[in-house]
Amino acid sequence: MSSPNRPARLNRTLLGLSGVLLLAAGAFGTATHLRLLRVVDPAAPLVPGTTAPPTWVFYVIAAAGVVTGLLALFWLLAQVARRPRTGTWRFERDPVVGRTELDTDVAVAPFTDEVRSLTHVRQAKAVLTGTRREPELALVVSADQNADLTVLRERITTECLPRLAQALGTDRVPATVEFRLSAQAGTRVS
């Protein structure tokens, strides 16, 4: 099953590289200004003369802009949350009599509703993947800030998941649970 936070590694890598490059450029500029590095004279003009640079310079700048734009577009597309692939399970005991199909999105809908009904849960999204014999569940739960995530996880594990496993006719359903806390505190129940 794919990770629920697939673009995280790419984000960390690109942000780390960008940070290192910006730190190096800032350190170079500061060291040059303080005359610790004598690579460039701080009093010299930025561009020598007023004549236009050679034509190839414009092509290099345009190519660098296009490459930067494509990299930014690739990075933006990587942020799109891709949910794991779901499918249709077939229950075929006797193909002559007929067959029964179960869409995994339909199978997980009651489970999602049950998780949504738990205290302090604002939203729940679940994706059931894998085969009928080896199902896997990816669950994303949006909860109030004041929610006790340990208690919430315990209720999902001991109440909701066993009912899902029973409904699917399996012993257990391995699950990954991602909690997202809401920006607003939930209402207090006395």
Side-chain angles (χ1 to χ4, degrees):
M1 184 165 66
S2 66
S3 168
N5 194 5
R6 192 185 68 74
R9 186 181 317 161
L10 175 66
N11 283 345
R12 285 191 296 268
T13 303
L14 290 176
L15 287 173
L17 287 174
S18 300
V20 167
L21 287 173
L22 289 172
L23 282 172
F28 176 77
T30 303
T32 302
H33 175 72
L34 297 175
R35 296 182 190 252
L36 296 174
L37 288 177
R38 303 213 182 261
V39 178
V40 179
D41 180 20
L46 186 60
V47 189
T50 57
T51 60
T55 307
W56 64 268
V57 172
F58 295 117
Y59 289 120
V60 169
I61 292 171
V66 168
V67 168
T68 303
L70 288 174
L71 286 173
L73 182 62
F74 175 71
W75 192 0
L76 182 64
L77 290 175
Q79 306 310 305
V80 175
R82 291 185 177 96
R83 63 181 238 162
R85 174 180 266 180
T86 60
T88 302
W89 294 347
R90 288 178 180 76
F91 300 87
E92 296 179 359
R93 299 275 185 212
D94 186 5
V96 175
V97 177
R99 72 175 184 213
T100 303
E101 295 182 348
L102 177 63
D103 184 39
T104 55
D105 286 335
V106 173
V108 81
F111 169 79
T112 308
D113 292 339
E114 183 178 6
V115 173
R116 276 191 202 113
S117 70
L118 296 175
T119 307
H120 298 296
V121 173
R122 291 181 174 263
Q123 184 61 266
K125 295 179 184 174
V127 177
L128 188 63
T129 62
T131 64
R132 200 181 94 216
R133 289 176 181 68
E134 295 179 10
E136 295 180 17
L137 183 76
L139 177 63
V140 179
V141 178
S142 298
D144 295 331
Q145 281 184 347
N146 57 354
D148 186 350
L149 298 183
T150 306
V151 171
L152 197 54
R153 169 80 181 190
E154 184 68 24
R155 288 197 62 196
I156 291 170
T157 305
T158 59
E159 296 173 22
C160 303
L161 281 174
R163 278 195 279 273
L164 176 65
Q166 181 183 11
L168 295 175
T170 185
D171 295 334
R172 65 184 195 88
V173 178
T176 58
V177 181
E178 178 182 338
F179 288 104
R180 298 181 181 167
L181 295 179
S182 172
Q184 302 169 347
T187 57
R188 296 189 183 260
V189 178
S190 302

